[in-house]
């Protein structure tokens, strides 16, 4: 099993604390992982195409199971790779999302949408890049966490995705913690939200043995 880690950064940068520190933590709990630095300041579907090519490369290299772990905009991209049409050609076994942008139909975190979709993205394009619209009964399991106090990417994003996963009977775990800002990464010393790593590690182990 190999987990690709996709740091956030609004599709404009790769947040360092959501990259190698996440890989180091995963390695410490016995999960092989690497950071995937997807194209920045690029229009859809360039980041998605690059991620799917990396998934195929891993499989060619012998990875039987591939998981994705994404944060903020990196979480949006991870979800797209798992859910958008064509996923069956580059399948993943599970997805872990931290405070992810899931909808391009809300007005929250507009800069990321402008980079990915452009100023004049119409309703059809915004809908087709919203994760809740892409969930089917064949979607892989999701572990999703957020904080209720996130003002940059409000927890509505997680609620939308969770409702779609539930409606299609997709296995999932959802944790919304009361306190904490956006972009927490490992959330060390951040209060109750710090336990997300223990919860996720247990969930990933369960997926590995499924």
């Amino acid at each position: 099993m190999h987990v690709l880690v996709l740091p956030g950064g609004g599709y404009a940068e790769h947040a360092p604390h959501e990259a190698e520190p996440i890989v180091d933590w995963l390695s410490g709990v016995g999960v092989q992982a690497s950071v995937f630095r997807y194209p920045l300041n690029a229009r859809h579907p360039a980041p998605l195409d690059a991620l799917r090519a990396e998934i195929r490369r891993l499989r060619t290299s012998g990875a039987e199971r591939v998981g994705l772990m994404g944060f903020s905009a990196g979480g949006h991209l991870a979800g797209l790779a798992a859910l958008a049409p064509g996923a069956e050609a580059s399948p993943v076994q599970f997805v872990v999302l931290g405070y992810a942008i899931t909808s391009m139909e809300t007005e929250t975190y507009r800069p990321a949408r402008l980079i990915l979709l452009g100023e004049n993205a119409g309703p059809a394009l915004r809908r087709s890049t919203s994760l809740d619209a892409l969930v089917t009964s064949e979607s892989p399991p999701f572990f999703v966490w957020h904080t209720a106090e996130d003002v940059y990417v409000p927890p509505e994003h997680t609620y939308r995705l969770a409702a779609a996963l539930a409606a299609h009977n997709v296995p999932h775990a959802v944790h919304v913690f009361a306190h904490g800002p956006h972009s927490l990464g490992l959330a060390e010393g951040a209060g109750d939200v710090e336990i997300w790593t223990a919860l996720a590690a247990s969930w990933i182990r369960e997926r590995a043995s499924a």
Side-chain angles (χ1 to χ4, degrees):
M1 179 174 65
H2 191 102
V3 175
L4 286 174
V5 175
L6 283 67
Y11 282 111
E13 61 180 335
H14 296 127
H17 69 290
E18 295 165 355
E20 277 76 16
I22 306 296
V23 169
D24 291 344
W25 158 65
L26 285 168
S27 299
V29 296
V31 178
Q32 186 177 8
S34 59
V35 177
F36 180 67
R37 289 182 167 82
Y38 49 90
L40 298 174
N41 298 298
R43 288 287 173 85
H44 175 72
L48 175 60
D49 291 344
L51 175 53
R52 285 181 166 170
E54 178 65 8
I55 293 167
R56 291 192 294 272
R57 187 194 70 76
L58 279 174
R59 292 205 175 279
T60 302
S61 301
E64 293 183 5
R65 289 171 173 261
V66 176
L68 303 177
M69 181 176 290
F71 300 85
S72 196
H76 178 256
L77 180 57
L80 272 185
L83 300 172
E88 63 280 355
S90 317
V92 296
Q93 273 57 61
F94 62 86
V95 185
V96 177
L97 302 183
Y99 42 86
I101 298 169
T102 69
S103 177
M104 289 289 161
E105 296 183 298
T106 76
E107 288 306 306
T108 55
Y109 218 79
R110 189 167 177 266
R113 191 184 80 237
L114 293 180
I115 288 173
L116 191 67
L117 304 183
E119 187 85 46
N120 301 311
L125 177 57
R126 292 176 67 171
R127 182 70 174 157
S128 70
T129 50
S130 293
L131 306 188
D132 57 299
L134 300 171
V135 175
T136 72
S137 59
E138 303 302 312
S139 298
F142 274 73
F143 178 103
V144 189
W145 71 275
H146 219 120
T147 60
E149 294 178 339
D150 192 330
V151 294
Y152 287 100
V153 180
E156 174 195 357
H157 284 261
T158 280
Y159 298 144
R160 281 181 177 231
L161 176 59
L165 293 169
H168 290 86
N169 296 311
V170 176
H172 62 281
V174 179
H175 301 277
V176 178
F177 299 94
H179 303 296
H182 188 66
S183 195
L184 281 168
L186 291 171
E188 293 172 327
D192 289 348
V193 65
E194 185 175 16
I195 69 167
W196 86 261
T197 51
L199 295 168
S202 176
W203 186 86
I204 291 170
R205 281 193 291 269
E206 186 181 327
R207 301 278 73 75
S209 60

